[in-house]
Amino acid sequence: MSKALAIGDQAPELAIPDQQGKTVTLDSFKGKQVVLYFYPKDDTPGCTKETCDFRDVESQILRAGGTIVGVSLDGKESHQKFTKKFGLPFPLLSDEDARISKAYGVYKEKNMYGKKYWGIERSTFVIDPEGKVKAIFRKVKVDGHADEVLKALKAQQKGRLAVWSPASVLI
């Protein structure tokens, strides 16, 4: 078991395909802050709301020097349908073997209606232009999350460290 990622750690490299089949790496975003969000499944209620919330604040995230990247265990075709259906302007990465989800510590045993299974725990990481983790949001609650991430990005832009708590972003 590897140690959990912490603020200040070097972010694990990505190198996985997006919805077009193009391999995406953290180096693809040099000079930008990356909002890397992990979500359980395309086109499900919570994941759709979270993704559309990120879509709706994307222009503000871009102005704050950031870029958005989503990651789930879904394949390229599922991501293509999800992107088209909701007009998503950012890449969705296919982590079909859960290698990246494991590296970020978000691939967890879950329990739904007494049935145990492995899947992604909704989480978001803000990675600075040098590839260091600057903010971590674990066990994300969808409502208001995109705004919390935007606050963390703006704090980063001003050179302040952002730490998340379930109640709010503390600066």
Side-chain angles (χ1 to χ4, degrees):
M1 184 83 178
S2 60
K3 96 175 179 60
L5 274 181
I7 291 175
D9 286 352
Q10 190 67 34
E13 186 49 83
L14 299 173
I16 55 174
D18 67 8
Q19 68 268 31
Q20 304 306 322
K22 178 181 151 222
T23 298
V24 174
T25 65
L26 282 180
D27 283 346
S28 311
F29 305 105
K30 274 286 189 235
K32 293 189 177 282
Q33 295 187 86
V34 178
V35 173
L36 184 66
Y37 78 99
F38 290 83
Y39 64 98
K41 189 149 184 56
D42 288 345
D43 211 4
T44 56
C47 297
T48 297
K49 180 167 180 14
E50 179 182 28
T51 299
C52 289
D53 287 352
F54 275 125
R55 177 200 62 202
D56 294 347
V57 299
E58 189 210 22
S59 64
Q60 295 172 69
I61 286 175
L62 291 171
R63 278 196 302 275
T67 190
I68 304 166
V69 181
V71 181
S72 79
L73 304 176
D74 296 301
K76 178 175 93 169
E77 293 77 19
S78 176
H79 283 339
Q80 286 173 345
K81 287 178 192 164
F82 192 41
T83 297
K84 185 175 182 182
K85 184 174 181 179
F86 293 100
L88 306 177
F90 45 80
L92 298 179
L93 308 185
S94 295
D95 188 23
E96 292 180 276
D97 63 2
R99 182 176 48 84
I100 301 307
S101 300
K102 289 174 185 173
Y104 278 81
V106 302
Y107 191 69
K108 309 266 182 163
E109 186 174 40
K110 299 170 97 177
N111 190 341
M112 186 180 290
Y113 307 117
K115 180 182 171 233
K116 292 189 184 231
Y117 65 99
W118 285 85
I120 288 179
E121 176 183 82
R122 194 181 309 277
S123 305
T124 301
F125 299 83
V126 176
I127 302 165
D128 76 8
E130 288 77 48
K132 300 260 190 233
V133 177
K134 290 298 177 184
I136 298 172
F137 302 78
R138 293 197 183 273
K139 297 183 181 176
V140 166
K141 301 289 180 246
V142 171
D143 288 338
H145 178 59
D147 291 330
E148 290 174 332
V149 171
L150 185 57
K151 284 180 192 172
L153 273 175
K154 287 179 178 176
Q156 287 303 313
Q157 198 176 33
K158 293 175 182 161
R160 295 180 291 180
L161 185 63
V163 179
W164 180 81
S165 76
S168 65
V169 174
L170 305 172
I171 300 172

